[in-house]
Each structure stands twice: as structure tokens, then as C-alpha cells.
Amino acid sequence: MAGRKALEIYVDLLSQPCRAVHIFLNHNKIPHKVKMVALRKGEHKTPEFTIFNPMQKVPVMVDNGFVLTESDAILKYLATNYNAPEHWYPTLPEKRARVDEYTAWHHTNTRPFAAKVFIMEVLLARMNGQPPDPEKLQRALGQMNEMLDKLEDMFLKRKPFLCGDDITLADLLAICEIMQPLGGDRDILKERPKLLAWKGRVQSVLKDSFDEAHGVLYRVRDNFRAKL
């Protein structure tokens, strides 16, 4: 369309929700420009960025002047407005409701419990210059494992993907969170064959877009190993 500005996303790929948006755009070949925002340098707190998001968080999407925050909202907007394959965010009410059911659960379960382990083992350990408190870490691991039990029993069950036979936004959001503890060299699925098989199916669909988005996390993992 004449005069239309290119879709822009503001991301830091060490952020799980940012990776989900990045993967979706690349996998579905949606034209866009990437604006990197280095959280570790405080670039999300600059006046320039705060104009886009007063909450000073990433990701942020700007589509021809329309600004949208929150990865869940961004992904659903992109799936709806950029003619992505229907399986990502189905139009059939029952199937769409299943995706919405997971994404509502995601924000108070998958996201905080997987992220907490990464924060303790990598971010806080780096900031404090010492390993996390063993008791607090074990408590966080216990909460994460309870979350994984529910993810497997409530959503995956005997289906190939979290919401049925095809990959959806639910799988994309979930896999990016579940990958995060890998930054501390912790593979949280290695003793969970059912979820591990699900992860393999998700990666098989996403192909190069998955590894490209997770490159920064792999580098964090490699640096973590080098310091052991």
C-alpha cells in the first residue's frame, strides 16, 4: 500500500516473549524491521523508547503508526492481520478458545516459573558474583516442575501440540519460556520424554527461525559453561 510504513518490532532476544514474536514474523515471512533494545544497557528506559511503551518493556510493535505492547496481543494481531496460516490462531471458536485458554494460563504459570530459575541461576548470580541460595533454588525448581506436570497433563495430554494436531501461538509462547533455563545450562525437559518429543515437533516446524532467535541464549549458555 502506497505510503504505508514498514512494520517494526522492538526486541531483546534474551527476552522469551521477544523471541516468540521474532520467530513468528520470520517463520511466516512477514516483512518487518527489527529494532534491538538492549535491556542490560537500560535502553528500554530511555525517553525515546518510553514514548512507545510507558511500561518500559519489550516487545513493542509499531505497524504504520499503530503501537501495540504485550507479546500475546502482538502475536494475535499479527496472526489475524497478516494472513498467517489459520492453524496459528484458529477462527473456529472452540479451537481459538483453546489457544486463549493456554495463553491466559501461560502468564501466571509457564512464564514466571521457568523465568525464575533463569533469573536465579544466571542474572542474579552474575549480579551478585555467587551462585544462588540452594534452598531458594530448590524451591524454584519444585515450582517449575509442578508447572511442567500441569503443562503435560492439562494441555499436551496425548496430542502432538498443546492445543491439538497443529502448532499454534500457544506452542510458540510456551517453547520460548521453556528454553530460557538453558541459559544456565539447565535442560528442564531432559527427563520428560513426552514434553521433549513435543519440543522436537515444535522445532521441526519452526526450523531455522527457532535457532536464529535463540542464538543469544545459546551464547549465554556457552559463557555459563566456560565459567564453571
Side-chain angles (χ1 to χ4, degrees):
M1 184 183 296
R4 184 177 180 86
K5 296 181 180 179
L7 173 72
E8 297 179 338
I9 57 162
Y10 291 75
V11 296
D12 182 328
L13 293 181
L14 195 55
S15 157
Q16 308 91 299
C18 288
R19 292 199 299 270
V21 173
H22 190 273
I23 290 169
F24 185 84
L25 285 166
N26 285 341
H27 179 76
N28 289 292
K29 296 180 172 55
I30 297 173
H32 64 284
K33 292 183 179 179
V34 176
K35 305 284 188 177
M36 291 296 182
V37 180
L39 299 180
R40 65 194 177 281
K41 296 180 180 178
E43 292 178 359
H44 57 304
K45 295 184 178 181
T46 63
E48 294 81 6
F49 182 79
T50 304
I51 291 173
F52 291 119
N53 187 1
M55 296 297 291
Q56 299 181 327
K57 294 182 178 182
V58 286
V60 174
M61 181 205 77
V62 183
D63 188 15
N64 199 39
F66 175 62
V67 181
L68 190 62
T69 66
E70 300 298 329
S71 57
D72 184 18
I74 292 169
L75 287 167
K76 290 173 180 176
Y77 173 89
L78 293 171
T80 303
N81 289 279
Y82 278 86
N83 298 316
E86 199 265 349
H87 63 81
W88 284 107
Y89 193 44
T91 55
L92 187 68
E94 291 85 353
K95 289 187 176 182
R96 175 165 288 195
R98 287 298 180 205
V99 177
D100 290 336
E101 179 184 35
Y102 173 77
T103 58
W105 185 84
H106 173 89
H107 296 294
T108 54
N109 290 275
T110 314
R111 176 151 175 69
F113 294 132
K116 188 175 182 179
V117 172
F118 172 79
I119 290 169
M120 292 179 69
E121 292 195 309
V122 179
L123 299 186
L124 291 180
R126 181 182 297 173
M127 186 183 305
N128 299 330
Q130 57 187 17
D133 178 273
E135 185 176 336
K136 291 181 179 178
L137 178 59
Q138 285 305 310
R139 189 179 307 122
L141 290 171
Q143 292 172 328
M144 184 185 65
N145 279 313
E146 288 180 11
M147 174 273 292
L148 291 173
D149 287 340
K150 292 175 182 175
L151 185 69
E152 187 171 303
D153 296 338
M154 290 174 54
F155 293 99
L156 191 58
K157 297 181 181 176
R158 291 187 173 85
K159 305 187 298 293
F161 296 97
L162 295 181
C163 298
D165 293 329
D166 294 307
I167 193 171
T168 69
L169 298 180
D171 300 281
L172 182 53
L173 286 166
I175 196 63
C176 289
E177 295 295 338
I178 285 171
M179 288 292 291
Q180 195 71 357
L182 196 66
D185 203 21
R186 184 179 292 278
D187 183 353
I188 64 176
L189 300 185
K190 66 179 181 179
E191 296 179 0
R192 291 178 173 270
K194 190 174 179 181
L195 283 171
L196 196 59
W198 161 76
K199 175 189 171 187
R201 289 190 288 271
V202 173
Q203 285 184 269
S204 180
V205 172
L206 298 175
K207 298 184 173 67
D208 292 345
S209 61
F210 181 91
D211 284 329
E212 180 183 346
H214 284 89
V216 64
L217 187 66
Y218 298 149
R219 290 192 291 274
V220 170
R221 175 199 59 194
D222 293 344
N223 289 336
F224 184 90
R225 288 175 177 174
K227 293 178 180 178
L228 293 178

